[in-house]
């Protein structure tokens, strides 16, 4: 164990988590209150000079049990707060007793320092490969009068600018408790003037993860999802930023929740301009019955600190998510270039149509064919058969296995689409098990896209779906699965739970999905699993634990994708972001862009194609063949290099980003201009992250640049002609 990562000064009551980059400091104040002192750039030694000032604040009551009026929970920066004991700010926890009271008075009880990082049973989480790469501090708080214990977990890695936090509630009383709210973390900042801005990633279907930055002011601000999933509408990530922080300068704290359900980030600027952040499971429609001797574990939060702007924060998350959240055989594997038949055929396909697309794919150098929706039950449109994961007899005259065999015979991998969490009224599954459908008794369930949710919190439901999927996976060679989820949660009720437990339904649903994914990914480790939810509706760190990549958006328009992929990159690595070239006019926007532009944008993610290859001209086929060859050369750099945002599409007419190899031996610059001008300005971009002393050669022109001049002087954008133009420049180190 690296004992230097976490220290406890018994005499002064100071906990200090520290590595070479960051420090996190807490102190035991009077009456066993655990106070937050600092989170930020490394502090070599802390000498207890930041004791919280005592001042009598009107209508801020004493700490219970303490007569000093100047000492109040209502102003003290705490590590974790509770409801009802003189702290009137947003609480991190609300726990109700059998008599209906929900007053909890949390005080310090004990601590433990351990090597490595605990595994969270049933939940996705960051992990360690070697025990000595991280240390964990567990601080236990206890209610002042009863046996309600909260274990606060803090993990610090040796070489990552991140603190990983979560909370476990333990009921050692002799009564049943009801958890009405339990956050994964709280962060109280006395110097809230430093972090005046908050950045979030809101959006909508086909417009996911747009970048929004706003000022914090007095009162409460919430970023949340109530849709049962992370949602297209508000991603489970925010960042606190200094007023003048940007991509390369200023202090930033990134907050990433490793969870795929209803989430909430609450920010309150209080009466004396202090900032409180509470993050975790959304308390909306949530409660959890906790019987005596039972425990409840929250999802975890990844807290990243940067002293050099958003790009450094993103880099911390990119490496952590790719290296210590994603798992499995494909974690660091080069992801295959695929073609999906959806926009080519929709539901109208036959063996012959599929074989024609596969023939073209093989000739073009595409590496995988994916058969999308419509192969199962009796599904010829989207109003039937979900839940019937058996082959649609007769639709494919030669059968589904023949499709897979044909694809493999052509040298391609074969992928298949599933939507395991859904059920159609018009299905055999509903006919046999109508109670599997999530609905409120006595009411007609609300429909969305003519489909409904299965109650995934129930074991028998999960086992039924798993058995059906395994029957396919055991008889057909499948290399890839696209796991879709095409509606938000409603009619949130489970027949398996008592009336007073219905607040558990949404969280149990997510836990059930996690269990099903864990079972399947463990049993079929060679399959590449891709997450999807109507595009990017469940693009989160929780899903990344089971599926190393996700479909970023149903919007395949290259110009719209500039913003979607830029915003997504703030919190997620490129290896997780799938991006496809589709036909024009684009199905979502009607926009016409060149095949080059579509290819350049899609090659900034995990490349794929979403169009009818049989309809291409010879010139288009030649261009796609060349795109694929270029991407195959660039793939390790794009998927696993360091990604740097240079110019934001949210701030003007140009966009630029950069991929740099870990050893700085090569780089790929992407540049885009949206609209043309008759009198264009000269756009230029300075690169970042190249080795100052290296010489780099432009692989297309042979021109030589020093890393120093690329970093400090940069290059002009090309003299583009026309709208929607892009360019890639591939630099390689020259010589030794």
């Amino acid at each position: 164990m690296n004992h230097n990562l976490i220290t406890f000064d018994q005499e002064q009551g100071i906990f200090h988590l520290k590595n070479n980059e960051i420090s996190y400091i807490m102190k035991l104040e009077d009456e066993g209150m655990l106070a937050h002192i600092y989170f930020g750039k490394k502090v070599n030694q802390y000498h207890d000079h930041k004791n919280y000032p005592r001042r009598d604040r009107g209508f801020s009551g004493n700490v219970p049990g303490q007569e000093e009026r100047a000492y109040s929970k209502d102003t003290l920066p705490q590590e974790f707060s509770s409801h009802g004991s003189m702290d009137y700010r947003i609480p991190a926890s609300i726990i109700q007793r059998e008599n209906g009271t929900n007053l909890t008075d949390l005080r310090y009880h004990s601590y433990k320092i351990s090597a490595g990082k605990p595994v969270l049973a049933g939940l996705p989480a960051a992990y360690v490969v070697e025990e000595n790469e991280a240390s964990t501090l567990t601080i236990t708080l206890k209610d002042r009068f009863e046996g309600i214990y909260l274990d606060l977990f803090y993990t610090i890695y040796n070489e990552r600018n991140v603190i990983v936090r979560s909370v476990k509630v333990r009921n050692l009383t002799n009564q049943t408790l009801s958890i009405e709210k339990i956050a994964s973390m709280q962060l109280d900042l006395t110097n809230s003037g430093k972090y005046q801005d908050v950045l979030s990633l809101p959006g909508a279907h086909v417009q996911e993860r747009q970048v929004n930055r706003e000022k914090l002011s007095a009162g409460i601000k919430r970023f949340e999802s109530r849709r049962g999933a992370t949602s297209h509408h508000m991603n489970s990530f925010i960042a606190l930023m200094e007023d003048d922080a940007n991509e390369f300068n200023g202090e930033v704290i990134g907050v990433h929740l490793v969870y795929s359900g209803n989430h909430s980030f609450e920010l309150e600027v209080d009466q004396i301009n202090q900032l409180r952040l509470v993050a975790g499971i959304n308390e909306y429609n949530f409660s959890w019955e906790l019987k005596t001797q039972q425990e409840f574990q929250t999802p975890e939060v990844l807290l990243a600190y940067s002293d050099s702007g958003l790009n450094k924060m993103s880099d911390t998350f990119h490496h952590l998510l790719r290296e210590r959240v994603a798992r499995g055989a494909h974690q660091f594997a080069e992801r295959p270039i695929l073609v999906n038949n959806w926009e080519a055929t929709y539901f109208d396909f036959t063996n012959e149509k599929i074989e024609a697309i596969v023939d073209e794919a093989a000739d073009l150098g595409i590496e995988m064919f994916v058969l999308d929706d419509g192969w199962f039950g009796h599904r010829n449109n989207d109003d039937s058969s979900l839940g019937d994961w058996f082959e649609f007899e007769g639709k494919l005259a030669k059968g589904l296995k023949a499709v897979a065999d044909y694809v493999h015979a052509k040298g391609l991998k074969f992928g298949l689409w599933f939507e395991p969490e859904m059920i159609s009224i018009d299905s055999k599954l509903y006919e046999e098990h109508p109670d599997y459908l999530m609905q409120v008794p006595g009411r007609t369930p609300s429909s969305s896209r003519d489909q409904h949710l299965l109650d995934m919190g129930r074991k028998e439901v999960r086992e039924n779906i798993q058995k059906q999927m395994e029957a396919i996976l055991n008889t057909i060679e499948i290399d890839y699965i696209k796991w879709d989820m095409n509606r938000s949660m409603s009619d949130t009720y489970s027949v398996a739970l008592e009336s007073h437990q219905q607040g558990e339904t949404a969280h149990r649903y997510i836990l059930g999905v996690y269990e099903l994914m864990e079972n399947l990914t463990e049993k079929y480790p060679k399959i590449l699993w891709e997450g999807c939810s109507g595009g990017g509706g469940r693009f989160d760190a929780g899903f990344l634990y089971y599926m190393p990549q996700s479909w970023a958006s149903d919007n395949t328009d290259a110009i719209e994708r500039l913003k979607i992929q830029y915003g997504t990159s703030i919190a997620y690595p490129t290896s997780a972001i799938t991006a496809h070239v589709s036909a024009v006019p684009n199905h979502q926007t009607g926009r016409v862009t060149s095949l080059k532009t579509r290819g350049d944008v899609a090659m900034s993610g995990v490349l794929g194609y979403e169009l009818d290859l049989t309809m291409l001209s010879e010139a288009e086929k030649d261009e796609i063949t060349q795109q694929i060859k270029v991407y195959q050369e660039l793939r390790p750099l794009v998927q696993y290099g360091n990604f740097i945002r240079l110019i934001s599409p949210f701030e003007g007419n140009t966009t630029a980003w950069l991929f740099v190899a870990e050893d700085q031996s090569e780089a790929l610059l992407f540049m885009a201009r949206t609209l043309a001008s008759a009198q264009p300005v000269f756009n230029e971009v300075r690169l970042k992250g190249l080795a100052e002393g290296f010489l780099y050669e432009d692989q297309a022109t042979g021109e030589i640049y020093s890393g120093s001049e690329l970093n400090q002087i940069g290059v002009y954008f090309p003299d583009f002609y026309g709208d929607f133009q892009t360019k890639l420049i591939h630099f390689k180190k020259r010589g030794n």
Side-chain angles (χ1 to χ4, degrees):
M1 184 197 314
N2 186 344
H3 293 280
N4 294 325
L5 286 176
I6 303 173
T7 60
F8 178 52
D9 185 323
Q10 192 91 33
E11 183 177 338
Q12 295 182 321
I14 294 170
F15 294 96
H16 191 169
L17 294 83
K18 176 180 66 177
N19 61 23
N20 291 328
E21 295 284 340
I22 60 172
S23 282
Y24 193 106
I25 305 173
M26 298 168 275
K27 179 175 181 177
L28 296 177
E29 286 271 7
D30 295 345
E31 301 294 331
M33 298 301 302
L34 182 62
H36 179 79
I37 300 295
Y38 174 80
F39 175 47
K41 193 170 183 177
K42 176 188 175 182
V43 175
N44 287 324
Q45 289 181 303
Y46 175 67
H47 290 95
D48 197 25
H49 292 311
K50 200 186 177 188
N51 293 312
Y52 189 68
R54 303 290 173 93
R55 184 176 183 130
D56 188 359
R57 304 284 183 177
F59 289 86
S60 291
N62 311 356
V63 170
Q66 169 69 258
E67 295 303 317
E68 183 185 346
R69 295 186 181 185
Y71 186 42
S72 175
K73 279 191 177 186
D74 196 35
T75 58
L76 181 71
Q78 298 170 63
E79 278 299 312
F80 204 81
S81 62
S82 55
H83 172 75
S85 55
M86 288 295 179
D87 185 348
Y88 295 96
R89 294 168 290 180
I90 49 176
S93 60
I94 303 174
I95 300 174
Q96 189 174 88
R97 292 161 184 75
E98 289 179 349
N99 64 6
T101 63
N102 53 19
L103 187 154
T104 308
D105 188 1
L106 298 174
R107 306 295 176 94
Y108 172 77
H109 179 264
S110 61
Y111 82 97
K112 180 177 71 172
I113 299 173
S114 53
K117 183 181 181 298
V119 174
L120 305 189
L123 285 166
Y127 57 86
V128 296
V129 173
E130 297 179 358
E131 193 176 66
N132 64 2
E133 71 175 278
S135 294
T136 297
L137 170 66
T138 305
I139 297 180
T140 299
L141 307 181
K142 178 186 176 297
D143 178 65
R144 189 171 166 220
F145 296 104
E146 297 181 89
I148 301 173
Y149 292 82
L150 273 69
D151 298 325
L152 312 183
F153 299 106
Y154 302 80
T155 296
I156 182 168
Y157 287 83
N158 294 333
E159 298 178 354
R160 301 178 191 273
N161 298 354
V162 67
I163 302 290
V164 183
R165 295 186 55 181
S166 69
V167 176
K168 180 187 288 183
V169 184
R170 293 183 285 127
N171 180 8
L172 300 185
T173 72
N174 58 6
Q175 61 178 300
T176 297
L177 304 175
S178 178
I179 302 173
E180 301 298 306
K181 177 181 183 178
I182 185 68
S184 296
M185 59 140 284
Q186 175 178 309
L187 187 64
D188 281 3
L189 300 174
T190 56
N191 57 346
S192 63
K194 175 185 285 189
Y195 296 106
Q196 296 182 12
D197 293 6
V198 58
L199 183 145
S200 59
L201 300 176
H205 178 236
V206 300
Q207 197 174 48
E208 294 86 349
R209 290 170 300 286
Q210 307 294 290
V211 178
N212 184 59
R213 180 172 178 172
E214 55 192 296
K215 294 292 181 187
L216 290 168
S217 58
I220 296 174
K221 177 73 178 177
R222 290 174 63 96
F223 301 93
E224 64 177 353
S225 173
R226 300 182 176 188
R227 294 173 172 267
T230 322
S231 84
H232 305 80
H233 308 82
M234 187 60 67
N235 196 255
S236 50
F237 161 88
I238 64 167
L240 303 176
M241 304 178 65
E242 282 189 305
D243 178 62
D244 59 351
N246 56 33
E247 286 286 8
F248 299 102
N249 300 291
E251 293 188 62
V252 178
I253 295 175
V255 189
H256 222 315
L257 180 63
V258 187
Y259 186 61
S260 307
N262 291 332
H263 64 265
S264 175
F265 297 83
E266 299 173 285
L267 293 146
E268 179 174 5
V269 178
D270 70 9
Q271 56 183 320
I272 54 174
N273 205 38
Q274 299 180 131
L275 176 63
R276 170 171 289 180
L277 164 64
V278 172
I281 296 173
N282 199 326
E283 66 186 289
Y284 168 78
N285 204 25
F286 169 83
S287 63
W288 193 271
E289 181 183 71
L290 197 67
K291 295 181 179 178
T292 183
Q293 304 301 313
Q294 287 186 341
E295 302 174 343
F296 180 86
Q297 173 65 53
T298 72
E300 68 182 22
V301 167
L302 313 174
L303 274 179
Y305 169 77
S306 166
D307 61 355
S308 304
L310 281 168
N311 263 299
K312 184 176 179 181
M313 177 213 70
S314 296
D315 188 63
T316 297
F317 282 134
H318 292 177
H319 281 274
L320 181 70
L321 292 173
R322 191 167 60 222
E323 297 162 10
R324 293 296 183 269
V325 174
R327 307 172 297 163
H330 299 278
Q331 179 182 5
F332 301 115
E334 293 183 21
R335 310 293 168 72
I337 302 165
L338 65 81
V339 62
N340 185 302
N341 75 299
W342 179 244
E343 290 192 12
T345 68
Y346 294 102
F347 292 102
D348 184 19
F349 55 80
T350 61
N351 284 93
E352 288 70 29
K353 281 187 179 181
I354 296 302
E355 289 171 4
I357 294 172
V358 173
D359 289 344
E360 294 290 351
D363 290 342
L364 295 171
I366 289 172
E367 299 162 340
M368 180 162 67
F369 170 79
V370 177
L371 181 61
D372 211 281
D373 195 354
W375 60 268
F376 54 93
H378 59 277
R379 189 167 169 93
N380 275 320
N381 51 47
D382 63 8
D383 64 3
S384 80
S385 302
L386 291 171
D388 292 348
W389 301 110
F390 49 83
E391 185 178 343
F392 187 167
E393 291 187 13
K395 182 167 187 176
L396 292 167
K398 301 177 187 176
L400 183 61
K401 187 177 185 303
V403 173
D405 291 344
Y406 189 87
V407 171
H408 288 128
K410 283 288 184 175
L412 279 69
K413 297 179 183 296
F414 176 65
L416 197 60
W417 181 94
F418 284 89
E419 194 169 3
E421 300 159 65
M422 298 293 143
I423 184 171
S424 302
I425 297 294
D426 181 9
S427 68
K428 182 179 178 181
L429 183 64
Y430 181 77
E431 181 181 328
E432 295 177 352
H433 301 285
D435 61 303
Y436 282 10
L437 185 148
M438 189 181 287
Q439 61 183 312
V440 177
R443 292 178 177 268
T444 302
S446 303
S447 177
S448 178
R449 294 182 81 251
D450 288 303
Q451 64 186 67
H452 301 268
L453 280 88
L454 289 166
D455 186 355
M456 299 301 287
R458 293 170 59 187
K459 187 175 182 62
E460 64 270 29
V461 175
R462 298 192 300 273
E463 288 178 343
N464 182 295
I465 297 302
Q466 182 171 335
K467 183 178 180 181
Q468 289 193 62
M469 292 180 70
E470 287 182 355
I472 295 290
L473 300 180
N474 291 340
T475 55
I476 299 173
E477 185 182 350
I478 296 174
D479 305 291
Y480 158 104
I481 286 176
K482 179 180 177 182
W483 182 302
D484 214 339
M485 188 258 202
N486 280 307
R487 63 158 290 173
S488 298
M489 186 177 289
S490 68
D491 306 276
T492 311
Y493 183 92
S494 176
V495 298
L497 299 174
E498 300 294 330
S499 59
H500 64 280
Q501 291 182 278
Q502 291 304 319
E504 302 176 17
T505 304
H507 183 55
R508 287 188 181 275
Y509 176 100
I510 296 297
L511 294 179
V513 172
Y514 287 157
E515 182 184 287
L516 179 58
M517 291 192 299
E518 181 73 19
N519 291 345
L520 288 169
T521 55
E522 282 287 312
K523 189 164 186 178
Y524 303 96
K526 293 182 180 180
I527 291 177
L528 171 60
W529 300 78
E530 177 173 318
C532 180
S533 179
R538 197 163 53 185
F539 200 113
D540 58 70
F543 237 65
L544 188 64
Y545 184 75
Y546 305 96
M547 303 187 180
Q549 63 188 50
S550 283
W551 183 220
S553 178
D554 279 347
N555 190 342
T556 53
D557 175 73
I559 302 307
E560 294 274 283
R561 272 293 186 126
L562 293 175
K563 290 183 176 180
I564 293 169
Q565 290 173 209
Y566 190 98
T568 303
S569 77
I570 290 178
Y572 301 93
T574 304
S575 58
I577 303 170
T578 54
H580 292 178
V581 175
S582 63
V584 291
N586 180 265
H587 287 216
Q588 289 80 33
T589 66
R591 184 180 283 119
V592 175
T593 55
S594 70
L595 183 54
K596 179 186 185 305
T597 293
R598 284 174 275 154
D600 286 353
V601 174
M603 283 196 285
S604 288
V606 177
L607 174 66
Y609 291 84
E610 194 103 8
L611 71 172
D612 190 345
L613 301 178
T614 66
M615 301 297 289
L616 298 175
S617 67
E618 289 303 315
E620 288 172 325
K621 291 178 184 178
D622 290 343
E623 187 167 356
I624 287 177
T625 300
Q626 186 59 31
Q627 281 179 355
I628 290 169
K629 289 178 180 178
V630 169
Y631 186 74
Q632 286 169 334
E633 180 185 356
L634 295 172
R635 178 161 44 189
L637 174 62
V638 169
Q639 294 182 1
Y640 298 106
N642 294 324
F643 181 83
I644 302 171
R645 294 178 300 277
L646 300 173
I647 300 175
S648 171
F650 294 93
E651 297 176 1
N653 195 39
T654 56
T655 303
W657 53 60
L658 182 71
F659 301 91
V660 181
E662 198 73 45
D663 64 1
Q664 300 175 297
S665 63
E666 65 175 322
L668 178 68
L669 174 64
F670 169 88
M671 296 179 286
R673 188 190 67 185
T674 304
L675 297 177
S677 169
Q679 195 63 268
V681 300
F682 294 125
N683 300 119
E684 55 188 282
V685 58
R686 285 189 294 170
L687 282 61
K688 299 286 184 180
L690 299 182
E692 296 274 319
F694 286 5
L695 291 179
Y696 292 93
E697 181 178 348
D698 181 331
Q699 296 300 288
T701 67
E703 293 181 77
I704 306 298
Y705 305 81
S706 72
S708 179
E709 65 185 299
L710 289 172
N711 287 339
Q712 310 307 328
I713 300 174
V715 298
Y716 279 118
F717 269 59
D719 188 15
F720 287 131
Y721 182 77
D723 295 339
F724 319 132
Q725 300 297 311
T726 59
K727 184 176 178 64
L728 298 176
I729 303 179
H730 184 200
F731 298 98
K732 277 191 174 182
K733 178 188 174 185
R734 193 178 189 195
N736 294 323

